[in-house]
Amino acid sequence: TFRIFITGGSVARGAPYSVHIPMTVFGMRSSHALPDPAFKAPPAAAKLADVPGLAGVPRGGREHDPYSILGEHATRSGGATMPGFGGIPSWLHAMLEMRYPDKKIEVINVAHEGANSLDVREFIKVLVSCEPDLIIVASGNNEGFLEPSWLKSLMSDWIVYRLLSEALMQPGEDGRPVLPKRPPDMAGLLQQYKRNIRQIVAISREAGVPVALATLPIRLKYRGTPDVMQMFLLNLKEDRWIKEGKARQQQGNCEEALKLLTKSDNPALAAFFMGQCYEQLGQLDQAREQYRRYTEGLPLGRSRPSHNAFVRELAKEEGLVLMDLAKVIQEADPDGFSEAHFRDHCHLDWQGYYLMSREVARQVAGLEAFRKAAGDKGRFPAKDEIIERYGWQALLKKSRPKRCPGNF
């Protein structure tokens, strides 16, 4: 048996091609509710086994069950989903199973929607004890909050503290909260991300478990909606320079618009409109650079270009396998803006997940440990062959389904 874990956030999990697990399974009243006081025991593997469709999930008969990790995390974060078909884990398993039919290969999805590098760091501490032959880490989205201090973490377990904190952040009679939320520390978040990824690598190395790092595709031109932008507490103010620059742009005078936009006191937001101007002028390299500046300063739940740059650098520095999924999606877009396969700010359609899975499968098949276990024979199946073999025709009915039927 060659056991592969895939961990990270919802892109690693394969959202939206997933099957939702009701909150009640984890003792939750709703996705944003506090844990039900009547629910005492932590949700173990037996709880998850009660969910329709999970009975056939291979567990390997090892001491620890990685699916219980999802249950434990869901009691804190409000829910979980399990993989259906159409995401990286299902494509990867199908590719490996069809190429090596006489070998037992497990691809176990232990990613979690909404997880960031802090969560993945905690996942890794348990996953290394589950005897994997490879852990693939694809984390970079959702990096919007700094890790709380030990005191705040301790107090957060106290329900009165949580309720009081929430109340003080609500608008008062004058329309302003007593404790206003602070904009994120972008530099601090980047340093925290780097620290977490380094710790993930160190924990895996200490346990003797091979780890591969993956970059994440970034939708550079995602604009977001006002409510989403407000949720991330980012600076969205359009000053006079942005307003005047946008007016010149709409008039078709992009050169003048660029001069005005460079004067803005909100350079990240101005960079978005500068990207549009350069794109209208046909200067695509400059447009991409401005969209990268915009994404770096206003990520809106997306990974940041600096995350991918760091992952590439660390993989080279530590001699780790790099699965450059961002490059795969960028190259699949004719103009290189990585727009072709996105459904929203970070999730992709099944064709995008398939393209990334091919790169993951190629990298896995090239590992010395995998070649020793499975050999080096045959070829990877084509997309249509996989769909026919596993009965995934539902993927073909709509290129961008809201939710694809799942199986295990």
Side-chain angles (χ1 to χ4, degrees):
T1 300
F2 194 91
R3 171 174 281 189
I4 302 170
F5 287 161
I6 299 179
T7 188
S10 53
V11 173
R13 169 150 294 281
Y17 303 94
S18 51
V19 177
H20 187 65
I21 296 180
M23 298 303 103
T24 52
V25 172
F26 302 111
M28 308 292 287
R29 289 191 290 269
S30 73
S31 59
H32 298 289
L34 296 171
D36 188 335
F39 188 79
K40 301 296 183 183
K47 269 283 181 187
L48 289 175
D50 294 337
V51 179
L54 284 185
V57 174
R59 303 192 183 281
R62 312 217 183 177
E63 180 180 357
H64 298 282
D65 185 345
Y67 286 99
S68 65
I69 301 167
L70 287 176
E72 291 162 8
H73 182 76
T75 60
R76 300 192 301 273
S77 66
T81 57
M82 297 304 289
F85 54 83
I88 293 177
S90 55
W91 284 117
L92 177 61
H93 185 268
M95 291 175 186
L96 296 176
E97 185 174 61
M98 288 182 70
R99 181 171 176 177
Y100 307 96
D102 57 337
K103 302 297 180 182
K104 185 177 180 183
I105 301 170
E106 295 180 354
V107 179
I108 301 178
N109 188 338
V110 281
H112 191 288
E113 295 198 20
N116 58 24
S117 60
L118 287 167
D119 299 308
V120 175
R121 184 190 67 190
E122 299 308 305
F123 291 170
I124 292 290
K125 292 177 181 178
V126 181
L127 292 179
V128 293
S129 67
C130 301
E131 302 177 32
D133 297 289
L134 176 67
I135 298 178
I136 299 171
V137 176
S139 181
N141 296 321
N142 311 310
E143 299 288 328
F145 305 96
L146 291 172
E147 186 174 19
S149 65
W150 67 270
L151 179 60
K152 188 172 182 178
S153 296
L154 183 65
M155 294 180 68
S156 294
D157 290 333
W158 186 34
I159 189 172
V160 175
Y161 172 82
R162 297 202 302 273
L163 295 174
L164 181 61
S165 297
E166 186 66 27
L168 292 176
M169 291 180 183
Q170 301 303 314
E173 293 182 1
D174 59 355
R176 294 181 297 178
V178 177
L179 291 178
K181 296 180 180 180
R182 297 180 180 179
D185 174 5
M186 302 306 293
L189 288 171
L190 177 58
Q191 292 307 311
Q192 174 177 264
Y193 174 78
K194 292 181 176 181
R195 184 167 59 251
N196 289 336
I197 300 299
R198 286 191 180 277
Q199 289 177 354
I200 287 168
V201 172
I203 293 168
S204 301
R205 279 240 168 109
E206 185 177 352
V209 175
V211 62
L213 300 181
T215 61
L216 289 179
I218 303 174
R219 187 177 185 182
L220 295 174
K221 291 161 59 173
Y222 175 72
R223 188 69 177 89
T225 58
D227 57 330
V228 169
M229 291 181 167
Q230 185 59 38
M231 179 175 68
F232 287 99
L233 305 174
L234 298 170
N235 181 10
L236 309 171
K237 183 180 179 182
E238 294 187 3
D239 57 23
R240 57 167 290 200
W241 303 113
I242 291 180
K243 292 177 181 177
E244 292 181 15
K246 287 173 61 179
R248 296 294 189 279
Q249 177 195 358
Q250 291 167 1
Q251 295 166 3
N253 191 347
C254 288
E255 291 86 353
E256 185 63 26
L258 287 168
K259 293 178 183 178
L260 294 168
L261 290 167
T262 55
K263 299 178 181 181
S264 174
D265 292 327
N266 190 348
L269 185 58
F272 176 83
F273 300 104
M274 292 176 73
Q276 287 187 330
C277 288
Y278 280 119
E279 194 172 356
Q280 288 177 233
L281 292 169
Q283 300 177 29
L284 299 187
D285 288 340
Q286 292 92 327
R288 276 188 288 272
E289 180 57 33
Q290 293 303 323
Y291 287 134
R292 279 193 284 266
R293 286 182 56 211
Y294 159 68
T295 305
E296 189 67 32
L298 296 172
L300 298 172
R302 299 167 292 175
S303 188
R304 296 159 64 182
S306 55
H307 292 173
N308 285 342
F310 172 71
V311 166
R312 293 182 182 113
E313 174 188 326
L314 182 63
K316 183 177 180 180
E317 175 187 319
E318 297 288 342
L320 303 173
V321 171
L322 172 67
M323 299 178 176
D324 203 340
L325 308 185
K327 183 179 178 182
V328 169
I329 296 302
Q330 182 176 342
E331 292 179 346
D333 195 326
D335 62 13
F337 286 114
S338 303
E339 286 284 307
H341 292 289
F342 278 98
R343 301 181 77 258
D344 53 25
H345 67 295
C346 70
H347 305 110
L348 291 86
D349 60 21
W350 64 268
Q351 295 98 326
Y353 284 124
Y354 168 76
L355 292 174
M356 293 191 293
S357 302
R358 287 196 311 182
E359 173 62 14
V360 175
R362 185 185 70 82
Q363 295 273 12
V364 170
L367 294 173
E368 182 179 354
F370 185 85
R371 290 201 304 270
K372 287 182 178 179
D376 185 13
K377 57 184 178 180
R379 62 171 181 83
F380 283 119
K383 177 173 56 181
D384 293 343
E385 293 176 303
I386 297 173
I387 291 173
E388 179 65 27
R389 162 74 180 276
Y390 293 97
W392 293 353
Q393 286 80 5
L395 293 173
L396 304 175
K397 294 180 180 179
K398 250 185 186 179
S399 61
R400 292 169 180 262
K402 290 183 178 179
R403 183 173 297 279
C404 182
N407 68 6
F408 295 85

